[in-house]
Amino acid sequence: MEAMMRIRIESLGAGVCAVVLAAGCGTETGSEAERAATGELAVAEHIVVEDAWVRGAPPGVGEDTARRAAPARDTPVRTNNRASAALPAGTNTAAYMTIRNRSEESDRLVSASSPAAGAVELHQTVEEDGMTRMRRVDGIDIQADDTVRLEPGGLHVMLIDVSRRSVRGDSVELRLRFERAGEIEIRAEVRD
Amino acid sequence: MRMGRAWIAVAFSFVLTSVAAYSLLRERPSFHGMLLEPPLPAREFTLESAAGPLGTAQLRGSHAVLFFGYTSCPDVCPTTLARLAAALRQAGPRAERGVRVVMVSVDPQRDTAARLAAYTSAFGPQFQGATGTPEEIARVASAYGVAYMRSDVETAAGYLVDHTSTLVVLDPQGRMRLLWSPVTTVDEMASDLRILLGR
């Protein structure tokens, strides 16, 4: 019975979320120029980079530790307003994004750099013989009229020796160099 | 009138079927990870954490998740730990409070106990790091079926370490109970945790 109740409460919560999402979607259908102005996407020539983010895991949770150590109650709808996620100076992390090529010819991401990191490399995580391995890649091809996703556990832009401390909500400047489109500057949001 | 009765019958049988399906699902929970039945005795070990010795003796009494990784790892390790943290939150207060997570370093050369503590605590208060001598780490890893090796990829990060990303869940008696592959989702881990902890 208690479980039944929870399911009902949860589905109620889901309904509320759906409404909020729908409202969110409404604002998202802005023009490309509007989205570019907010840094949500970067366009250069035929290349569109969207949803760029950097994993901001360690360190220091501070006040958050206390809150999380003693969660109030089992609330089915959780707010996720934690203020953790910070990039400490001197760590490695990864940036992820979606790259779209809207031209008739393929292009290739050949390198990346960032004022926030000592070095930036293109890598791919692969599962091989039961092991998780990282491979360095020379470039990432984006075929004509195609989209490539850089995501956790796959292709990623590796930021080495992050020199500046940044927290969740901050953004990290990244310069992507494409074979044909040239250099594109993007801002990747720091997320958990 | 007859139509009305038919509808009541349909509705009634629908409710019955739903209740039956629900109780069936409830009584036969299925794990997404690989359940070890019976639990497998795990090898005892003691490593070092910033807070002192950390090993099977310290973990006894709680469910614990072991992950083998390293702090210079940019992609898979933080992703796995962040997903595990999300699964613990999603599984509810019992999991969030009762389950401990230990990241055993496969890079004892660079990972000091202090560095590991700073790294792991970012994911939650129940996350801890453990390290030891290269020989000790090698013994613990092989006892839990984990392989690792220094990668020959040239990188400005110095070196990378390839490693098994399986998560090992220990029961409160310190036995291996469940294995999660690195592709197990947050929802799946949360569901497994709820079953393990008895809802």
Side-chain angles (χ1 to χ4, degrees), chain B residues 111-174:
Chain B
D111 284 343
T112 60
R115 188 179 159 92
L116 276 163
Y119 184 86
T120 52
S121 69
F123 297 95
Q126 62 283 74
F127 286 67
Q128 283 181 286
T131 188
T133 65
E135 294 74 31
E136 284 169 328
I137 299 282
R139 269 199 299 275
V140 176
S142 79
Y144 289 90
V146 167
Y148 61 97
M149 60 191 291
R150 202 188 267 219
S151 150
D152 52 9
V153 167
E154 272 189 44
T155 168
Y159 62 88
L160 300 169
V161 184
D162 295 336
H163 57 96
T164 309
S165 299
T166 306
L167 293 161
V168 183
V169 184
L170 303 181
D171 70 10
Q173 288 79 46

Side-chain angles (χ1 to χ4, degrees), chain A residues 128-140:
Chain A
E128 219 174 59
D129 311 324
M131 294 243 267
T132 305
R133 297 181 197 274
M134 280 230 298
R135 290 221 188 100
R136 194 166 170 183
V137 294
D138 298 331
I140 296 169

